[in-house]
């Protein structure tokens, strides 16, 4: 491609709309343009990168025996009603764009494809002889994200590879799951990324496993906890650990004390000169089940710990049946406005005890009249603890479960693991933290969708059984941008060779120099013919401008037919290191071929 003929516009300044380096650079270098919130045009250079990433993904998927297909993006609401996800996806999470056609039929734009694929499987898979089987596609997905941001990192329209496998049993699913873990590692390694596979939350489905593939970068929205020995890595949402030991309480007898202005744990501990590990704090949540019932949840947890809302959501989802529901639509900390809807009188916020009375709740058809009380395991073993008194400005000290307060019957793990905690697999290891960008997610689904939608097969004994499923996603466009997030310098992007839009750029310093043009044209033709993807900067611009642009767009090798032509050589500059060397013109092709092959291997 000749730059003189390309729609090529670079910006000198950082665009105001971009916050993180990769987003700024992709805009400045002319790879993407914003069309609307979370909506981007992939310009020609970006499209080449995306095609390369897709090709790596495709090759690794095909190597496992998965088959590529293309599923519809317009999805009938009825399919989502069958699986029970229409309301959650269009209302609760609200992540699905929903529309009504001219016949008044409701449809959604595909945020994911479990429903579509399960319907196909229900229709086409009859017998165990057809299993296992695995279909995947690479396609645009639509998600009405609450906070679209960081360019392609969190778009409302983005490219995903999604695959779905079907099995007769868990063992077969596990095998494909392992193959996928390997395929995903291969994809990321081949794309030149530093990454970590981590245990991930499988939501309320439980399931026996889910892993995310995290590209390590400061701009990552996820926190990863891991140990140095490489034995443990998990998303914070899922991570477990051994908390610090509790200190022995200095309070020997039960007493109510005046504690003015101590509505936070920090202030309270300062007031009593005690450790937060001697305090039971009681945190209020409000859960709305899909049955329309609101439940007020009181979590008692040790004062130095925080509630992990994902773990809490999973625990509460398990209890949905108690409230005539299947799932939770919202889980929030109720603000003053929310409290008005159900509180019969004002709550002693900051001073609540584990036994705060149920008559604070004005029960109704929609509001459960009793608190659902949970205790985190960190609070179960505390003795002589400090906690609220249900009266503003007062706490109690020296309290014990079973004496002053009944221990809630449901003891759960809903605490947030944190940096410095001891690891469960080996208490000598402490958890470290890193930021990550989730680029892939593999998931053992089990029979959730097949059961809901009646997708069955007949086993060897002639019995009808639900299909066992797995699903596997890669954010192709997110992956491409995260490569930039991991690899840039003050001059611009440094693409890993395997996914760079072009391997080489030939920058002609002066287009009125006939010899420079002649050598450049010759190399341009030769390199492209031998499969080295080459750009020719033949614009009528100053050499300095061309070199700056070449650095900004991040092409791995730059050839400059300049002063060294006299010696029959050209200058070749490596983008990543800025290292320059002079190479005889007739050796350029073979030298670059070797470098590129070595970089891509
Ligand atoms: P996130 O937690 O970041 O919202 P997710 O867990 O909802 O993502 P999945 O449903 O697991 O995403 O989708 C598979 C992959 O698609 C993700 O691992 C991610 O790489 C990519 N992806 C998801 N949402 C977006 C988005 N809004 N923009 C770009 N890529 C996305
Ligand atoms: Mg995910």
């Amino acid at each position: 491609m000749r730059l003189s003929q390309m729609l090529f516009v670079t910006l000198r300044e950082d665009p105001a709309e971009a916050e993180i380096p990769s987003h700024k650079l992709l805009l400045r270098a002319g790879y993407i343009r914003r069309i609307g919130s979370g909506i981007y045009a992939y310009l020609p250079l970006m499209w080449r990168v995306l095609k390369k990433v897709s090709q790596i993904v495709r090759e690794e998927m095909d190597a496992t025996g998965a088959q590529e297909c293309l599923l519809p993006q317009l999805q009938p609401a009825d399919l989502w009603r069958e699986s029970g996800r229409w309301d959650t996806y269009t209302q609760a999470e609200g992540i699905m764009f929903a529309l009504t056609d001219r016949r008044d039929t409701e449809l959604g734009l595909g945020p994911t494809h479990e429903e579509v694929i399960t319907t196909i499987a229900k229709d086409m898979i009859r017998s165990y002889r057809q299993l296992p089987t695995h279909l995947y596609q690479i396609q645009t997905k639509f998600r009405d994200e609450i906070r679209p941001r960081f360019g392609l990192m969190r778009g409302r329209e983005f490219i995903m590879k999604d695959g779905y496998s079907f099995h007769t049993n868990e063992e077969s699913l596990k095998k494909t799951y392992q193959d996928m873990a390997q395929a995903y590692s291969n994809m990321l390694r081949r794309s030149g990324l530093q990454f970590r596979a981590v245990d991930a939350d499988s939501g309320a489905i439980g399931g026996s496993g889910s892993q995310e593939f995290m590209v390590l970068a400061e701009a990552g929205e996820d926190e990863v906890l891991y140990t140095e020995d490489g034995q443990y890595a998990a998303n914070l949402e899922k991570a477990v650990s051994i908390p610090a030991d509790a200190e022995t309480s200095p309070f020997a007898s039960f007493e109510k004390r005046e504690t003015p202005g101590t509505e936070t744990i920090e202030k309270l501990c300062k007031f009593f000169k005690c450790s937060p590990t001697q305090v039971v704090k009681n945190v209020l949540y409000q859960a709305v089940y899909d049955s329309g019932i609101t439940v007020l949840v009181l979590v008692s947890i040790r004062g130095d710990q925080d509630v992990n809302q994902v773990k809490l959501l999973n625990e509460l989802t398990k209890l949905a049946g108690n409230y005539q529901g299947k799932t939770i639509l919202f889980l929030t900390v109720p603000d003053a406005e929310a409290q008005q809807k159900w509180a019969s009188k004002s709550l002693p916020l900051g001073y609540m005890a584990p036994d705060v009375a149920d008559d604070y709740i004005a029960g109704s058809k929609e509001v459960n009249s009793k608190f659902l009380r949970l205790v985190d395991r960190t609070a179960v073993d505390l003795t002589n603890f400090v906690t609220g008194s249900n009266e503003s400005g007062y706490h109690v000290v020296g309290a014990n479960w079973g004496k002053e307060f009944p221990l809630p019957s449901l003891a759960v793990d809903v605490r947030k693991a944190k940096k410095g905690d001891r690891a469960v697999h080996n208490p000598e290891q402490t958890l470290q933290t890193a930021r990550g960008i989730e680029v892939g997610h593999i998931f053992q689904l089990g029979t959730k969708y097949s059961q809901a939608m009646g997708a069955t097969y007949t086993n060897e004994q002639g019995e009808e059984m639900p299909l066992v499923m797995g699903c596997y996603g890669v954010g192709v466009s997110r992956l491409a941008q995260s490569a930039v997030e991991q690899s840039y310098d003050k001059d611009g992007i440094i693409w890993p060779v395997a996914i760079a839009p072009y391997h080489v750029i030939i920058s002609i310093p002066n287009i009125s120099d006939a010899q420079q043009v002649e050598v450049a044209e010759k190399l341009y033709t030769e390199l492209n013919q031998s499969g080295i993807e080459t750009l020719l900067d033949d614009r009528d611009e100053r050499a300095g401008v061309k070199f700056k642009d070449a650095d900004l767009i991040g092409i791995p090798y730059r050839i400059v037919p300049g002063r060294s032509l006299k010696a029959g050589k050209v200058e070749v500059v490596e983008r990543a290191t800025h290292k320059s060397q002079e190479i005889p013109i007739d050796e350029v092709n073979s030298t670059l071929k070797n470098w590129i092959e070595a970089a891509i291997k």
Side-chain angles (χ1 to χ4, degrees):
M1 185 74 210
R2 292 165 191 275
L3 266 158
S4 61
Q5 291 167 16
M6 198 163 128
L7 179 60
F8 182 71
V9 180
T10 56
L11 313 172
R12 288 285 157 246
E13 301 297 321
D14 277 341
E17 66 182 88
E19 293 167 63
I20 60 171
S22 56
H23 187 196
K24 289 180 190 165
L25 286 168
L26 288 178
L27 283 168
R28 273 187 54 202
Y31 280 81
I32 56 175
R33 276 287 176 276
R34 182 179 182 274
I35 302 300
S37 167
I39 308 173
Y40 285 85
Y42 311 125
L43 295 171
L45 288 175
M46 191 72 223
W47 186 237
R48 288 181 70 97
V49 174
L50 292 170
K51 282 195 290 189
K52 289 201 175 173
V53 174
S54 301
Q55 188 53 25
I56 291 174
V57 169
R58 182 174 284 123
E59 283 167 17
E60 293 300 329
M61 291 303 294
D62 290 347
T64 69
Q67 309 146 74
E68 188 169 358
C69 64
L70 193 59
L71 303 171
Q73 282 154 304
L74 265 180
Q75 306 188 8
D78 283 349
L79 287 184
W80 287 72
R81 292 211 167 89
E82 262 182 64
S83 72
R85 289 209 292 184
W86 179 254
D87 286 343
T88 358
Y89 269 63
T90 56
Q91 286 166 39
E93 292 189 28
I95 200 107
M96 181 149 71
F97 288 100
L99 54 121
T100 308
D101 69 13
R102 64 175 78 217
R103 288 176 201 82
D104 268 346
T105 309
E106 286 177 298
L107 299 153
L109 288 181
T112 179
H113 281 72
E114 282 83 4
E115 281 75 2
V116 170
I117 200 85
T118 308
T119 272
I120 295 170
K122 176 180 175 174
D123 200 32
M124 295 182 67
I125 300 176
R126 297 261 165 263
S127 149
Y128 69 92
R129 286 193 204 87
Q130 294 167 281
L131 298 170
T133 193
H134 184 172
L135 295 180
Y136 78 94
Q137 59 170 347
I138 299 174
Q139 185 203 47
T140 296
K141 291 278 182 285
F142 297 90
R143 292 188 183 181
D144 195 0
E145 298 278 358
I146 300 174
R147 280 186 77 194
R149 59 178 190 160
F150 299 162
L152 308 187
M153 292 291 192
R154 187 168 296 283
R156 295 200 298 165
E157 186 180 323
F158 59 95
I159 302 175
M160 195 202 288
K161 183 287 293 180
D162 50 328
Y164 307 87
S165 66
F166 296 90
H167 310 264
T168 54
N169 58 40
E170 292 284 333
E171 201 185 319
S172 163
L173 166 61
K174 284 210 166 73
K175 175 162 186 318
T176 299
Y177 180 82
Q178 286 313 329
D179 289 350
M180 280 303 110
Q182 186 58 54
Y184 277 38
S185 295
N186 296 347
M187 288 170 198
L188 296 180
R189 180 185 46 74
R190 286 181 58 191
S191 303
L193 294 162
Q194 303 288 323
F195 66 97
R196 207 182 265 280
V198 307
D199 291 349
D201 173 53
S202 330
I205 315 171
S208 26
S210 158
Q211 269 181 305
E212 287 164 343
F213 288 77
M214 297 285 187
V215 167
L216 302 171
E218 268 315 302
E221 292 187 87
D222 284 284
E223 184 175 344
V224 172
L225 293 170
Y226 66 96
T227 53
E228 294 288 0
D229 65 359
Q231 299 296 304
Y232 185 73
N235 189 317
L236 171 69
E237 292 178 350
K238 162 89 178 176
V240 290
S241 64
I242 305 171
D245 293 328
E247 290 176 35
T248 310
S249 172
F251 304 102
S253 57
F254 181 74
E255 240 178 276
K256 181 166 161 184
R257 301 247 188 113
E258 190 172 1
T259 55
T262 58
E263 65 289 340
T264 66
I265 297 288
E266 204 190 332
K267 289 181 190 164
L268 178 66
C269 291
K270 221 177 195 165
F271 183 88
F272 278 137
K273 299 194 182 50
C274 71
S275 152
T277 63
Q278 296 152 349
V279 178
V280 171
K281 71 175 169 189
N282 305 290
V283 196
L284 184 64
Y285 287 91
Q286 172 169 342
V288 181
Y289 285 91
D290 55 345
S291 55
I293 295 182
T294 294
V295 177
L296 285 316
V297 182
L298 194 69
V299 182
S300 299
I301 186 167
R302 207 172 76 186
D304 62 322
Q305 302 296 321
D306 290 314
V307 175
N308 175 332
Q309 215 162 310
V310 174
K311 289 186 184 175
L312 178 61
L313 184 75
N314 292 341
E315 291 300 334
L316 294 175
T317 305
K318 287 187 211 157
L319 303 175
N322 299 354
Y323 306 102
Q324 292 86 54
K326 283 208 179 88
T327 138
I328 290 191
L329 299 183
F330 307 98
L331 177 64
T332 49
V333 173
D335 57 14
E337 196 189 325
Q339 287 167 33
Q340 270 177 14
K341 297 211 177 98
W342 52 262
S344 60
K345 49 190 173 178
S346 81
L347 287 146
L349 294 173
Y351 298 89
M352 280 192 297
D355 66 348
V356 63
D358 289 327
D359 67 6
Y360 278 101
I361 305 173
S364 67
K365 257 210 320 249
E366 284 93 40
V367 180
N368 193 55
S369 59
K370 287 192 159 64
F371 285 105
L372 168 59
R373 297 167 206 270
L374 305 178
V375 58
D376 181 74
R377 298 217 172 87
T378 50
V380 172
D381 295 330
L382 295 188
T383 53
N384 294 325
F385 53 80
V386 177
T387 195
S389 69
N390 295 325
E391 188 179 340
S392 282
Y394 292 86
H395 279 87
V396 297
V397 301
N400 285 284
W401 298 116
K403 265 175 93 181
E404 292 81 16
F405 299 106
L407 182 69
S409 56
L410 214 53
V412 288
D413 167 27
V414 291
R415 66 178 274 273
K416 223 183 226 173
K418 56 182 180 226
K419 184 184 171 180
D421 284 347
R422 290 161 294 175
V424 173
H425 75 278
N426 175 1
E428 276 168 21
Q429 293 281 323
T430 53
L431 297 188
Q432 314 287 317
T433 175
R435 307 292 309 175
I437 302 165
E438 179 199 325
V439 294
H441 194 170
I442 61 176
F443 207 105
Q444 299 180 33
L445 282 174
T447 55
K448 177 184 154 90
Y449 294 95
S450 52
Q451 256 167 352
M453 300 180 72
T456 57
Y457 72 97
T458 310
N459 71 10
E460 267 177 280
Q461 288 74 44
E463 298 155 334
E464 208 177 315
M465 304 291 285
L467 289 161
V468 177
M469 288 175 64
C471 72
Y472 320 94
V474 176
V476 169
S477 43
R478 185 185 280 183
L479 188 159
Q481 184 172 329
S482 45
V484 180
E485 197 58 41
Q486 254 187 5
S487 181
Y488 65 90
D489 63 14
K490 63 175 185 5
D491 299 319
I493 299 170
I494 305 173
W495 284 110
V497 178
I499 61 171
Y502 289 90
H503 300 128
V504 172
I505 180 165
I506 304 172
S507 305
I508 308 174
N510 175 3
I511 57 159
S512 17
D513 182 321
Q515 197 196 2
Q516 287 185 9
V517 173
E518 190 196 316
V519 172
E521 289 283 351
K522 177 172 162 299
L523 282 173
Y524 175 61
T525 310
E526 257 179 45
L527 295 178
N528 273 320
Q529 271 171 1
S530 71
I532 298 176
E533 298 161 24
T534 305
L535 267 178
L536 180 64
D537 192 351
D538 56 347
R539 293 175 301 166
D540 187 7
E541 289 281 0
R542 283 180 297 115
V545 170
K546 294 185 180 182
F547 297 165
K548 268 208 160 70
D549 277 342
D551 279 352
L552 178 62
I553 64 174
I555 307 301
Y557 305 104
R558 181 175 83 218
I559 298 177
V560 186
R563 275 190 283 277
S564 46
L565 284 181
K566 279 196 239 75
K569 294 179 177 178
V570 290
E571 187 191 7
V572 181
V573 186
E574 192 187 18
R575 171 64 186 88
T577 57
H578 287 304
K579 259 202 308 216
S580 145
Q581 57 191 91
E582 291 181 351
I583 297 180
I585 294 169
D586 56 3
E587 288 172 23
V588 169
N589 196 331
S590 58
T591 308
L592 283 170
K593 201 148 211 136
N594 288 339
W595 289 355
I596 292 164
E597 269 167 20
I600 285 182
K601 69 177 175 329

